[in-house]
Amino acid sequence: MTRTPQDTETKDERGGAVLEGPGTREEGGTRADRRTRITVLVALGANLLIAVAKTVGGLLAGSPALLSEAAHSVADSLNEVFLLAALRRSRRPADARHPFGYGKERFFWSLLAAVGIFVMGGCFSFYQAVHALTAESADSYGGYIAGIAVLVVALLSEGASLLRALHQVRREGGVDGLRDPALRTVVAEDGTAVLGVTLAIAGMVLHMMTGEVIWEASASFAIGALLVYVAYWLGRDAREQLIGVAADREPSRKIRSLLEAQPEIDTVEALLTMQLGLESTLVAARVDLVPGLDSEEVELVAVRIKRSIAHVVPEADQIFLDVTEKTGPGERAGESPAATGERGGV
């Protein structure tokens, strides 16, 4: 009887044969990861420079909208550091403590980035809006021209970073490219930054034209609400992934169709999937085989099915099959060698 070196065998409590898939493969940095890392570094460099310029301009002009945007850029810079950590740590190979690998590190650090956007960006923007409405308004707009110039430069810089991120999304397959939480976060941050800078410019210009601080306060409120929404959206997605979300509908459909098409399988009792990372999915299936197969035949069938699943759905690198033989007429469940694991069951 031939086994592949990656395969191991166990029996469940009912005696059913269980074929365990290979351990999580050691993954180095892929091309997609390298491109994402460059995209994150571009965004980090742009946000650091812009954060300094916005802070200086905001303090000189005393503009709440500009200071809100400064907090936004600081939050984005910190989040890019989180994303770089996610890219590095999620690629560590599996070990005894984490046998399924570290793929979910990406989702954890993305959750921290969402919290950072909410606390540092959204809450500070709300504070600036309230402060602008309650503080005495000055009639001098001496620093506003410089502040608007800073925002225009920021708009160009953030726009360039957004175009870079969107270009990578297109290279990664459009919407499918947004499966990567790091890339998705950069796109969300850059898109929000472009919209936030536009709101800040509008608020400052209207404040200068009308002399009413309500315009800048409204811009700060709008920026805060925008950041809170983006933080909620990113956090909700990261939460689902950390809890354990099933594979997409199409891969699950392909796996079920493949199992049902096997002549040796009588019924597919259960099919469970869970995403372990961007390129790692756990598949657990409980199937009943047709009567009459001995243990060696069951093993060969199980190995073939496992390889077929891995071929059809390449990200399915953790495959567990709970294989039992359907009882024939007059035969009690668990008596067959395939069901009990006797005579070298898989």
Side-chain angles (χ1 to χ4, degrees), residues 4-319:
T4 59
Q6 301 94 334
D7 297 332
T8 59
E9 64 178 15
T10 60
K11 284 191 293 182
D12 65 8
E13 295 176 354
R14 297 181 294 109
V18 180
L19 177 64
E20 297 184 356
T24 304
R25 57 182 178 274
E26 185 175 348
E27 298 173 312
T30 63
R31 291 182 179 179
D33 270 356
R34 287 193 291 270
R35 289 195 293 266
T36 300
R37 187 175 294 108
I38 293 173
T39 298
V40 173
L41 287 172
V42 168
L44 175 60
N47 280 318
L48 284 174
L49 292 175
I50 293 169
V52 173
K54 287 178 180 177
T55 301
V56 173
L59 292 174
L60 291 176
S63 167
L66 188 49
L67 288 174
S68 295
E69 271 302 300
H72 182 181
S73 294
V74 171
D76 285 352
S77 299
L78 181 61
N79 293 338
E80 259 97 53
V81 175
F82 288 159
L83 298 180
L84 289 173
L87 291 172
R88 180 177 63 84
R89 296 176 64 86
S90 66
R91 285 297 178 180
R92 289 182 296 172
D95 53 34
R97 186 173 177 82
H98 298 88
F100 293 110
Y102 291 81
K104 289 194 175 185
E105 284 264 18
R106 291 200 184 214
F107 311 128
F108 169 74
W109 291 99
S110 294
L111 180 61
L112 289 187
V115 173
I117 293 174
F118 175 80
V119 175
M120 296 184 63
C123 293
F124 187 78
S125 295
F126 288 139
Y127 165 77
Q128 283 297 319
V130 173
H131 178 72
L133 291 175
T134 56
E136 292 185 4
S137 178
D139 295 330
S140 174
Y141 306 111
Y144 271 52
I145 299 300
I148 292 174
V150 168
L151 288 176
V152 171
V153 173
L155 181 62
L156 296 175
S157 180
E158 298 284 10
S161 179
L162 177 61
L163 289 176
R164 159 74 196 188
L166 292 176
H167 175 69
Q168 184 181 342
V169 170
R170 187 163 54 251
R171 291 187 64 180
E172 299 296 332
V175 177
D176 289 341
L178 293 177
R179 291 177 58 247
D180 186 343
L183 183 56
R184 183 168 59 246
T185 301
V186 172
V187 171
E189 287 180 348
D190 288 344
T192 304
V194 169
L195 185 54
V197 169
T198 304
L199 290 171
I201 292 174
M204 293 179 69
V205 169
L206 289 171
H207 185 186
M208 291 177 62
M209 292 176 61
T210 65
E212 299 291 337
V213 73
I214 186 65
W215 293 108
E216 271 199 89
S218 298
S220 293
F221 270 123
I223 292 170
L226 181 64
L227 292 176
V228 168
Y229 172 75
V230 170
Y232 167 75
W233 179 67
L234 292 174
R236 181 188 61 183
D237 184 74
R239 170 183 171 274
E240 289 184 356
Q241 298 285 358
L242 286 172
I243 292 174
V245 67
D248 294 337
R249 184 175 301 178
E250 183 61 19
S252 297
R253 185 195 63 78
K254 289 181 178 180
I255 294 172
R256 181 172 288 276
S257 297
L258 186 150
L259 293 174
E260 292 175 344
Q262 304 304 311
E264 298 88 355
I265 293 181
D266 184 80
T267 56
V268 179
E269 297 293 335
L271 174 62
L272 304 175
T273 62
M274 184 172 66
Q275 294 180 14
L276 302 176
L278 291 183
E279 300 171 1
S280 179
T281 299
L282 182 147
V283 177
R286 180 177 295 116
V287 298
D288 284 340
L289 301 182
V290 296
L293 300 176
D294 62 29
S295 296
E296 291 191 12
E297 290 175 314
V298 170
E299 179 181 14
L300 293 176
V301 169
V303 171
R304 189 191 74 223
I305 292 174
K306 184 196 70 174
R307 290 175 176 170
S308 298
I309 292 174
H311 177 73
V312 172
V313 183
E315 62 269 25
D317 61 344
Q318 297 286 345
I319 304 172

